[in-house]
Amino acid sequence: MSTEGRTSLTERRRAETQMEIALAAAGLYAGSEGADVTAEAIARRAGVGLRTFYRYFRTKEDAIAPLLAHGAERWLRLLSETAREMPLRDALVEAAAQALAATDEEGRESFAWTRGLLRAAASDPALRAVWLRVNHDTEERLVPVLADLTGRPADLDVRLAAAAASAAIRVAVETWALGDAPAEGPGSPADLGVRAMRGLTAQLDALG
């Protein structure tokens, strides 16, 4: 096997291990008061040693980042694809609707632990810091996407649009998580996300 092939395999295995640990962490946080979760408990649930856990994550809270980042990656990808087929304003709404839809069992399970995580984060500053960091990283990644899609430089208007679009998704998910609406239908993440994004695009002429 070539060096490049070995590197790729190593990276895939690393990503798989990170996701397994992240899923274990999310399951624990979603089912308890965040302060009761320990790195040892996460490692045990993931089936890895504590040394392996700390090889991948600096703190117990950091372990949820790959899952949150995965959802953000999906949204950015959908936006890039959708915006090639329709005006950007419509693409922002459509991408939000698709990214936040719980269309199968995996999606419903994902929103179940998301709700648990965000409820735990409400009283756990360290956990909330991870959530906000992932959202900030998403905002920064959205800037060049919007610049490319609009043919504009990454100026004030583009950065404002990226900040507002990211906030629309974040606020929609947080509002749903702290309420009692199901993951589908009225009041769901997709429903709130579409409403938030439509409000955004009605206000930001720079997205034109």
Side-chain angles (χ1 to χ4, degrees), residues 23-38:
L23 285 167
L28 288 173
Y29 277 114
S32 71
E33 301 299 324
D36 294 335
V37 177
T38 65

PDB file of all heavy atoms in Angstrom, residues 23-38:
ATOM      1  N   LEU A  23     -20.298   9.994  19.907  1.00  0.00           N
ATOM      2  CA  LEU A  23     -21.626   9.404  20.093  1.00  0.00           C
ATOM      3  C   LEU A  23     -21.817   8.935  21.531  1.00  0.00           C
ATOM      4  O   LEU A  23     -22.891   9.098  22.113  1.00  0.00           O
ATOM      5  CB  LEU A  23     -21.828   8.246  19.122  1.00  0.00           C
ATOM      6  CG  LEU A  23     -22.082   8.641  17.666  1.00  0.00           C
ATOM      7  CD1 LEU A  23     -21.940   7.427  16.747  1.00  0.00           C
ATOM      8  CD2 LEU A  23     -23.471   9.250  17.512  1.00  0.00           C
ATOM      9  N   ALA A  24     -20.768   8.353  22.088  1.00  0.00           N
ATOM     10  CA  ALA A  24     -20.832   7.913  23.478  1.00  0.00           C
ATOM     11  C   ALA A  24     -21.030   9.105  24.408  1.00  0.00           C
ATOM     12  O   ALA A  24     -21.854   9.065  25.328  1.00  0.00           O
ATOM     13  CB  ALA A  24     -19.553   7.154  23.846  1.00  0.00           C
ATOM     14  N   ALA A  25     -20.295  10.180  24.155  1.00  0.00           N
ATOM     15  CA  ALA A  25     -20.416  11.382  24.983  1.00  0.00           C
ATOM     16  C   ALA A  25     -21.817  11.982  24.869  1.00  0.00           C
ATOM     17  O   ALA A  25     -22.433  12.359  25.870  1.00  0.00           O
ATOM     18  CB  ALA A  25     -19.368  12.413  24.572  1.00  0.00           C
ATOM     19  N   ALA A  26     -22.325  12.068  23.641  1.00  0.00           N
ATOM     20  CA  ALA A  26     -23.651  12.642  23.437  1.00  0.00           C
ATOM     21  C   ALA A  26     -24.711  11.827  24.161  1.00  0.00           C
ATOM     22  O   ALA A  26     -25.625  12.389  24.765  1.00  0.00           O
ATOM     23  CB  ALA A  26     -23.960  12.706  21.940  1.00  0.00           C
ATOM     24  N   GLY A  27     -24.586  10.503  24.103  1.00  0.00           N
ATOM     25  CA  GLY A  27     -25.550   9.651  24.790  1.00  0.00           C
ATOM     26  C   GLY A  27     -25.559   9.890  26.284  1.00  0.00           C
ATOM     27  O   GLY A  27     -26.622   9.914  26.917  1.00  0.00           O
ATOM     28  N   LEU A  28     -24.389  10.095  26.858  1.00  0.00           N
ATOM     29  CA  LEU A  28     -24.303  10.331  28.297  1.00  0.00           C
ATOM     30  C   LEU A  28     -24.823  11.716  28.660  1.00  0.00           C
ATOM     31  O   LEU A  28     -25.595  11.874  29.608  1.00  0.00           O
ATOM     32  CB  LEU A  28     -22.858  10.177  28.765  1.00  0.00           C
ATOM     33  CG  LEU A  28     -22.316   8.740  28.783  1.00  0.00           C
ATOM     34  CD1 LEU A  28     -20.826   8.727  29.100  1.00  0.00           C
ATOM     35  CD2 LEU A  28     -23.074   7.899  29.814  1.00  0.00           C
ATOM     36  N   TYR A  29     -24.404  12.723  27.923  1.00  0.00           N
ATOM     37  CA  TYR A  29     -24.874  14.073  28.227  1.00  0.00           C
ATOM     38  C   TYR A  29     -26.382  14.206  28.034  1.00  0.00           C
ATOM     39  O   TYR A  29     -27.057  14.909  28.788  1.00  0.00           O
ATOM     40  CB  TYR A  29     -24.158  15.094  27.342  1.00  0.00           C
ATOM     41  CG  TYR A  29     -22.810  15.510  27.853  1.00  0.00           C
ATOM     42  CD1 TYR A  29     -21.647  15.187  27.159  1.00  0.00           C
ATOM     43  CD2 TYR A  29     -22.681  16.238  29.033  1.00  0.00           C
ATOM     44  CE1 TYR A  29     -20.400  15.578  27.619  1.00  0.00           C
ATOM     45  CE2 TYR A  29     -21.444  16.618  29.511  1.00  0.00           C
ATOM     46  CZ  TYR A  29     -20.301  16.286  28.800  1.00  0.00           C
ATOM     47  OH  TYR A  29     -19.066  16.664  29.266  1.00  0.00           O
ATOM     48  N   ALA A  30     -26.905  13.560  27.018  1.00  0.00           N
ATOM     49  CA  ALA A  30     -28.336  13.656  26.740  1.00  0.00           C
ATOM     50  C   ALA A  30     -29.176  12.950  27.792  1.00  0.00           C
ATOM     51  O   ALA A  30     -30.363  13.218  27.926  1.00  0.00           O
ATOM     52  CB  ALA A  30     -28.644  13.067  25.366  1.00  0.00           C
ATOM     53  N   GLY A  31     -28.552  12.049  28.562  1.00  0.00           N
ATOM     54  CA  GLY A  31     -29.323  11.277  29.532  1.00  0.00           C
ATOM     55  C   GLY A  31     -29.023  11.612  30.971  1.00  0.00           C
ATOM     56  O   GLY A  31     -29.430  10.879  31.862  1.00  0.00           O
ATOM     57  N   SER A  32     -28.286  12.705  31.225  1.00  0.00           N
ATOM     58  CA  SER A  32     -27.944  13.017  32.609  1.00  0.00           C
ATOM     59  C   SER A  32     -27.724  14.497  32.781  1.00  0.00           C
ATOM     60  O   SER A  32     -27.791  15.272  31.823  1.00  0.00           O
ATOM     61  CB  SER A  32     -26.668  12.277  33.019  1.00  0.00           C
ATOM     62  OG  SER A  32     -25.548  12.846  32.372  1.00  0.00           O
ATOM     63  N   GLU A  33     -27.461  14.914  34.005  1.00  0.00           N
ATOM     64  CA  GLU A  33     -27.025  16.275  34.272  1.00  0.00           C
ATOM     65  C   GLU A  33     -25.557  16.349  33.869  1.00  0.00           C
ATOM     66  O   GLU A  33     -24.740  15.590  34.365  1.00  0.00           O
ATOM     67  CB  GLU A  33     -27.194  16.608  35.753  1.00  0.00           C
ATOM     68  CG  GLU A  33     -28.618  16.473  36.254  1.00  0.00           C
ATOM     69  CD  GLU A  33     -29.569  17.418  35.513  1.00  0.00           C
ATOM     70  OE1 GLU A  33     -29.157  18.536  35.189  1.00  0.00           O
ATOM     71  OE2 GLU A  33     -30.702  17.012  35.256  1.00  0.00           O
ATOM     72  N   GLY A  34     -25.209  17.280  33.007  1.00  0.00           N
ATOM     73  CA  GLY A  34     -23.879  17.318  32.413  1.00  0.00           C
ATOM     74  C   GLY A  34     -22.738  17.163  33.381  1.00  0.00           C
ATOM     75  O   GLY A  34     -21.721  16.554  33.069  1.00  0.00           O
ATOM     76  N   ALA A  35     -22.856  17.701  34.588  1.00  0.00           N
ATOM     77  CA  ALA A  35     -21.757  17.660  35.554  1.00  0.00           C
ATOM     78  C   ALA A  35     -21.433  16.238  35.985  1.00  0.00           C
ATOM     79  O   ALA A  35     -20.341  15.964  36.479  1.00  0.00           O
ATOM     80  CB  ALA A  35     -22.100  18.515  36.770  1.00  0.00           C
ATOM     81  N   ASP A  36     -22.374  15.319  35.822  1.00  0.00           N
ATOM     82  CA  ASP A  36     -22.154  13.937  36.248  1.00  0.00           C
ATOM     83  C   ASP A  36     -21.368  13.126  35.221  1.00  0.00           C
ATOM     84  O   ASP A  36     -20.918  12.023  35.511  1.00  0.00           O
ATOM     85  CB  ASP A  36     -23.502  13.244  36.506  1.00  0.00           C
ATOM     86  CG  ASP A  36     -24.244  13.866  37.697  1.00  0.00           C
ATOM     87  OD1 ASP A  36     -23.548  14.440  38.563  1.00  0.00           O
ATOM     88  OD2 ASP A  36     -25.474  13.793  37.728  1.00  0.00           O
ATOM     89  N   VAL A  37     -21.214  13.637  34.016  1.00  0.00           N
ATOM     90  CA  VAL A  37     -20.488  12.918  32.963  1.00  0.00           C
ATOM     91  C   VAL A  37     -18.991  13.097  33.186  1.00  0.00           C
ATOM     92  O   VAL A  37     -18.519  14.199  33.447  1.00  0.00           O
ATOM     93  CB  VAL A  37     -20.882  13.454  31.572  1.00  0.00           C
ATOM     94  CG1 VAL A  37     -20.077  12.751  30.490  1.00  0.00           C
ATOM     95  CG2 VAL A  37     -22.372  13.269  31.329  1.00  0.00           C
ATOM     96  N   THR A  38     -18.249  12.000  33.064  1.00  0.00           N
ATOM     97  CA  THR A  38     -16.800  12.053  33.208  1.00  0.00           C
ATOM     98  C   THR A  38     -16.129  11.515  31.953  1.00  0.00           C
ATOM     99  O   THR A  38     -16.740  10.791  31.162  1.00  0.00           O
ATOM    100  CB  THR A  38     -16.332  11.213  34.409  1.00  0.00           C
ATOM    101  OG1 THR A  38     -16.637   9.835  34.153  1.00  0.00           O
ATOM    102  CG2 THR A  38     -17.017  11.669  35.694  1.00  0.00           C
TER     103      THR A  38
END
